[in-house]
Amino acid sequence: MVTWRSAGAHLELREADRWLEPADTRAWQAASPQRRALASWFWDDYYGERRNEITLTGISLDGPAIRSALDAALLTDADLSLGQESWTTVPDPLLGSTGTR
């Protein structure tokens, strides 16, 4: 997981944690009760807890252009169908590395 915080000229990108996997009992037990609750609130049978949340505020933001740029960064259905082993090798455009996060 990556957290992204920015305001004005300030930008902070940080690796935050790993997603909780359904079969990783040790990770679930090690996670705080709050972390487990948050993961279960947003749980999806296919994606697990993986999700993106973004809020942009500002004057004269071009919502359609922002949405288009973000949509262009998503995996296509064809990319996704290749499976995790394939798409986790795609370089991370934010952190510049590859591998499962």
Side-chain angles (χ1 to χ4, degrees):
M1 282 188 275
V2 175
T3 61
W4 171 348
R5 296 179 182 170
S6 62
H10 173 79
L11 173 65
E12 175 186 319
L13 297 173
R14 243 194 263 183
E15 284 197 61
D17 204 344
R18 298 180 66 90
W19 298 111
L20 292 173
E21 301 293 339
D24 192 346
T25 306
R26 293 173 77 179
W28 280 87
Q29 290 172 343
S32 70
Q34 295 86 356
R35 173 83 169 84
R36 291 192 304 266
L38 185 62
S40 66
W41 290 341
F42 294 102
W43 195 262
D44 178 270
D45 288 339
Y46 183 78
Y47 295 107
E49 68 166 324
R50 291 170 176 82
R51 69 186 186 287
N52 294 296
E53 296 179 7
I54 187 167
T55 302
L56 303 171
T57 57
I59 299 170
S60 301
L61 294 178
D62 185 345
I66 293 168
R67 178 175 290 279
S68 177
L70 292 172
D71 285 345
L74 295 173
L75 291 174
T76 65
D77 288 342
D79 294 332
L80 190 59
S81 73
L82 295 174
Q84 185 174 355
E85 286 186 24
S86 175
W87 49 262
T88 57
T89 63
V90 175
D92 186 313
L94 298 176
L95 301 176
S97 60
T98 61
T100 304
R101 290 187 198 355

